[in-house]
């Protein structure tokens, strides 16, 4: 029995129990209703905003042929259970960050972010023009999914801390929320890494269950109120320089759609990706200034902390090189990022430095 058949016929433990209320796609009076499950509560800036935008676009373009109903984390399945629910056919589609599912296959880490990886622009360049899209599809086939990038948070800061980080030694024993390979790398520096769902981060910080956390960026972080419970905000992060979000459709469901309906989903996902990245870039500067005015201390990690992050990140990535598909994804990703940077570093990079200098004069 192949992986796809197995997932349809086997029990999913807690996921199955949580998803028993999910029905097969409904078709009535020419309208097909598809259920989309997400990994965050309703109203989360950037993350949920992208899911809402995707649903709006599909529903508008489908002109009544398809209606997507969005269910937030916990309404039908838990935040980290959406992958299994869609892979097994118990839900039609999910919107999430694919690095949550690195335990299913480590290749998924690359379709959100990896440490010292791609900026938002570099990410979409790889995905659209460097083979990333095809590799995402190959990975999805293993699990009965048709996957698309569907949002991008831009650069994610180093995070919120209760105390100042003066050296790499300050990471020892630090209870810190960070998912993905970034979390695996941070664990190698001596920190105690926690994978807390987005909807639970504030309470974990407020209660002292964790000493710090990273989330998305000033705009999203401000809305969640992290400035109320943490004093130090490190704006430069190593772990997610351009974090993509993803939409995945159960492959049987996707293949049952008409070619035009399939293209609507693909087009809406890509439009959402661009809209989401611009949303973050448009709002983070003003939000950061409000955080600064509220008394938050805006910080930068010292060089020895960056060095520790770099060493740990390489070790964490190398750990998965025994997997042939992971190795191919990594090689494709790194080649594309290097090629893109060869140009942008001497074009955009030079221009931005000179623009700042001239405008300051």
């Amino acid at each position: 029995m192949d992986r796809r058949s197995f997932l349809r016929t086997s029990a999913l433990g807690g996921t199955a129990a949580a998803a028993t209320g999910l029905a097969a796609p409904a078709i009535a009076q020419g309208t097909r209703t598809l259920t989309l499950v997400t990994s965050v509560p309703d109203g989360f800036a950037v993350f949920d905003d992208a899911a809402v935008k995707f649903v709006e676009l599909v529903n508008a373009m489908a002109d009544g042929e398809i209606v997507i109903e969005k269910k937030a984390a916990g309404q039908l399945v838990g935040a980290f259970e959406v992958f299994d629910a869609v892979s097994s056919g118990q839900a039609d589609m999910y919107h999430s960050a694919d690095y949550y599912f690195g335990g299913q296959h480590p290749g998924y880490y690359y379709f959100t972010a990896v440490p010292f990886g791609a900026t938002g622009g570099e990410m979409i360049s790889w995905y659209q023009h460097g083979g990333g899209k095809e590799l995402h599809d190959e990975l999805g086939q293993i699990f009965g999914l048709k996957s698309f990038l569907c949002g991008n948070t831009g650069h994610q800061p180093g995070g919120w801390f209760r105390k100042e980080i003066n050296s790499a030694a300050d990471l020892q024993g630090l209870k810190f929320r960070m998912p993905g390979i970034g979390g695996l790398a941070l664990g190698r520096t001596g920190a105690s890494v926690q994978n807390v769902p987005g909807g639970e981060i504030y309470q974990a910080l407020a209660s002292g269950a964790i000493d710090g956390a990273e989330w998305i960026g000033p705009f999203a972080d401000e809305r969640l109120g992290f400035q109320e419970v943490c004093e130090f905000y490190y704006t430069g992060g190593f772990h997610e320089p351009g974090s993509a979000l993803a939409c995945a459709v159960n492959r049987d469901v996707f293949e049952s759609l008409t070619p035009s309906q399939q293209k609507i989903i693909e087009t809406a996902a890509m439009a959402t990706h661009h809209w989401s990245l611009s949303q973050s870039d448009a709002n983070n500067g003003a939000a950061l200034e409000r955080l600064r005015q509220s008394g938050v201390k805006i910080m930068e990690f010292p060089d020895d902390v960056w060095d520790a992050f770099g060493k740990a990140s390489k070790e964490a990535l190398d750990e998965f090189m025994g997997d042939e598909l992971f190795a191919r994804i990594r090689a494709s990703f790194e080649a594309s990022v290097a090629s893109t940077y060869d140009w942008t570093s001497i074009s955009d990079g030079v221009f931005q430095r000179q623009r700042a200098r001239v405008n300051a004069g």
Side-chain angles (χ1 to χ4, degrees):
M1 181 180 292
D2 63 20
R3 169 75 178 177
R4 198 166 167 187
S5 299
F6 174 77
L7 282 168
R8 280 198 204 94
T9 56
S10 65
L12 290 174
T15 302
T20 51
L22 293 174
I27 304 176
Q29 298 179 347
T31 296
R32 184 166 184 178
T33 301
L34 303 178
T35 300
L36 178 143
V37 289
T38 78
S39 290
V40 294
D42 287 330
F44 266 37
V46 182
F47 204 138
D48 187 59
D49 290 345
V52 169
K53 175 59 69 174
F54 172 71
V55 171
E56 288 177 350
L57 289 172
V58 172
N59 288 351
M61 290 191 289
D63 197 24
E65 293 182 6
I66 298 174
V67 173
I68 296 179
E69 292 185 350
K70 183 175 78 72
K71 302 295 183 181
Q75 291 182 351
L76 289 177
V77 296
F80 297 146
E81 297 172 345
V82 299
F83 183 100
D84 283 345
V86 175
S87 181
S88 69
Q90 294 177 320
D92 301 311
M93 54 198 346
Y94 71 69
H95 184 269
S96 188
D98 268 353
Y99 70 173
Y100 290 154
F101 316 121
Q104 297 282 0
H105 192 285
Y108 275 112
Y109 291 126
Y110 276 94
F111 295 97
T112 300
V114 295
F116 295 94
T119 64
E122 291 167 344
M123 181 69 172
I124 201 59
S125 294
W126 170 61
Y127 197 80
Q128 289 290 79
H129 302 286
K133 180 180 178 181
E134 292 75 18
L135 288 164
H136 202 193
D137 188 59
E138 181 179 348
L139 187 56
Q141 288 183 48
I142 301 171
F143 301 96
L145 300 172
K146 182 68 176 178
S147 302
F148 305 96
L149 293 193
C150 191
N152 195 301
T153 70
H155 179 92
Q156 295 202 6
W160 296 87
F161 294 77
R162 294 181 176 280
K163 66 176 185 178
E164 191 170 347
I165 304 299
N166 294 306
S167 71
D170 290 332
L171 300 174
Q172 297 296 315
L174 186 80
K175 294 179 292 183
F176 196 84
R177 183 267 181 194
M178 182 179 286
I181 288 189
L184 298 179
L186 186 63
R188 289 174 176 268
T189 70
S192 174
V193 178
Q194 315 291 318
N195 195 10
V196 179
E200 301 173 18
I201 298 174
Y202 180 92
Q203 183 57 39
L205 285 169
S207 69
I210 56 177
D211 302 314
E214 61 78 43
W215 183 229
I216 289 177
F219 177 57
D221 295 5
E222 179 192 36
R223 188 180 293 185
L224 291 184
F226 296 150
Q227 66 275 14
E228 300 168 5
V229 289
C230 287
E231 182 179 1
F232 301 99
Y233 193 33
Y234 284 78
T235 52
F238 77 99
H239 57 302
E240 298 184 39
S243 303
L245 302 171
C247 169
V249 188
N250 176 277
R251 206 167 188 94
D252 286 340
V253 171
F254 187 80
E255 291 173 355
S256 73
L257 301 174
T258 67
S260 62
Q261 291 167 346
Q262 293 176 353
K263 186 57 68 174
I264 284 171
I265 289 175
E266 180 180 358
T267 302
M270 188 48 54
T272 298
H273 183 278
H274 294 299
W275 179 88
S276 176
L277 180 58
S278 64
Q279 181 200 29
S280 292
D281 288 344
N283 288 284
N284 277 336
L288 181 65
E289 182 56 29
R290 290 192 296 270
L291 291 173
R292 183 183 285 111
Q293 293 299 323
S294 74
V296 172
K297 295 181 180 178
I298 309 303
M299 310 294 290
E300 183 176 325
F301 293 119
D303 286 349
D304 76 314
V305 172
W306 280 101
D307 291 342
F309 289 157
K311 178 176 182 293
S313 296
K314 185 179 186 304
E315 291 173 354
L317 288 165
D318 288 348
E319 189 174 304
F320 297 105
M321 287 299 287
D323 183 278
E324 184 271 340
L325 180 53
F326 177 90
R328 282 197 288 118
I329 293 171
R330 182 181 183 181
S332 172
F333 177 92
E334 291 182 351
S336 177
V337 170
S339 177
T340 302
Y341 181 72
D342 280 347
W343 167 242
T344 59
S345 64
I346 59 173
S347 56
D348 292 18
V350 170
F351 165 73
Q352 288 171 331
R353 288 195 300 273
Q354 293 297 335
R355 180 180 60 189
R357 184 186 66 82
V358 170
N359 288 343

